[in-house]
Amino acid sequence: MERSTSGWINGLIGVIIFSGSLPATRVAVQAFDPVFLTVARAGIAGLVGVGLLLGFRQRRPAAGDLGSLAIVALGVVVGFPLLTALALQHVTSAHSIVFIGLLPLATAIFGVIRGGERPKPAFWAFSLAGSLLVAGFALAQGGTASPLGDGLMLAAIIVCGLGYAEGAKLSRRLGGWQVISWALVLSLPLMAVLCVVYWPASFAAVTAPAWLSLGYVALFSMLIGFVFWYRGLAQGGIAAVGQLQLLQPFFGLALAAGLLGEAVTPAMLLVTVAVIGCVAGARRFGK
């Protein structure tokens, strides 16, 4: 299979997995403190990462890679999960789609700064158009507005875009699952300490959906999704494959319709088709 095509397939799988992250976080944060939720999900994923690295006898990263791994850890292990968990105490998961629509653009910008990529001008036009479509659609759906929540989501998008681009660059040398595993391991000592500090007095009030949501964001959002996502970015290009994130809100709509019986309006379908067109255009001009 052509490397570029493989990159888009892996990236698409990663996006599908990530599409459940914000709704799951929204459920979990109703029962868990945001800081505890962040360190617990990273701690669980970190322990699995240790097992993978030991089981497959992976060599330690070079000293020169530690700085990049620290950026990945700060961006996607700590920064994005914590900032979104805090934000989702003030805004709905639907409102947060406004900012997820900006994530592909942020990833592309950091792909240029950190990854040395140089997409064509037409790529930026498709990327901006797709971001505006998703943000406009989300705003049209309404939702609560909170300056604090919006500020936290904007900060989350910036650090996540940096973590995505840095991890993709490093994946070209270390491999996708190795990068996220080493980033989780690097964070594990701090996560373990904070987990003890923020350990709840009781779990009696924690519901089954909250436990399932914690499991999802720990294993899928924090680890399994990145196995495909970083591989996809490394193979197909950070800026180009990053545009697949524009589809993330619409995968959420499809899940809601299929599993919860929620209605999908003609407007949703129209915007989805338009966004797919933007993603196709970004793929063509992304390299």
Side-chain angles (χ1 to χ4, degrees):
M1 183 184 296
E2 184 185 348
R3 183 176 175 82
S4 176
T5 301
S6 176
W8 282 78
I9 292 173
N10 280 295
L12 182 61
I13 294 172
V15 166
I16 291 172
I17 292 173
F18 290 152
S19 66
S21 296
L22 286 177
T25 300
R26 176 70 172 170
V27 173
V29 83
Q30 305 302 314
F32 297 107
D33 175 82
V35 178
F36 176 77
L37 176 62
T38 300
V39 299
R41 66 187 280 184
I44 294 169
L47 291 175
V48 177
V50 169
L52 289 172
L53 292 169
L54 291 176
F56 288 96
R57 299 181 180 180
Q58 296 297 300
R59 279 192 263 179
R60 295 180 182 178
D65 293 330
L66 294 179
S68 291
L69 285 171
I71 292 174
V72 174
L74 288 173
V76 303
V77 176
V78 180
F80 185 77
L82 178 58
L83 290 168
T84 53
L86 291 170
L88 286 167
Q89 290 187 314
H90 304 281
V91 299
T92 65
S93 57
H95 185 78
S96 67
I97 293 175
V98 175
F99 298 91
I100 295 301
L102 300 175
L103 186 52
L105 193 58
T107 303
I109 291 171
F110 283 115
V112 170
I113 296 172
R114 299 296 300 173
E117 297 189 352
R118 294 293 181 269
K120 298 175 182 178
F123 164 83
W124 295 108
F126 281 109
S127 177
L128 183 59
S131 296
L132 291 175
L133 278 169
V134 174
F137 172 78
L139 284 172
Q141 306 310 300
T144 60
S146 163
L148 177 57
D150 288 353
L152 289 167
M153 280 302 305
L154 182 59
I157 293 306
I158 293 172
V159 299
C160 189
L162 175 59
Y164 280 171
E166 195 71 26
K169 182 183 72 171
L170 198 56
S171 294
R172 295 166 184 164
R173 297 198 304 276
L174 299 182
W177 73 266
Q178 292 92 334
V179 166
I180 190 59
S181 294
W182 282 118
L184 288 164
V185 169
L186 190 65
S187 309
L188 194 54
L190 177 61
M191 296 299 103
V193 172
L194 291 176
C195 194
V196 172
V197 171
Y198 286 92
W199 193 267
S202 172
F203 291 103
V206 180
T207 62
W211 283 116
L212 289 173
S213 296
L214 173 58
Y216 186 90
V217 296
L219 296 178
F220 288 89
S221 303
M222 196 87 270
L223 181 60
I224 297 172
F226 279 102
V227 173
F228 295 99
W229 183 239
Y230 277 149
R231 183 186 301 160
L233 291 176
Q235 291 178 335
I238 298 169
V241 174
Q243 298 308 299
L244 284 169
Q245 295 166 104
L246 291 170
L247 298 174
Q248 184 170 320
F250 303 103
F251 284 127
L253 291 175
L255 290 172
L259 299 178
L260 304 178
E262 296 183 0
V264 175
T265 66
M268 294 176 188
L269 295 176
L270 182 62
V271 174
T272 301
V273 171
V275 167
I276 290 173
C278 290
V279 173
R283 180 183 182 186
R284 179 179 178 183
F285 296 103
K287 287 234 175 184

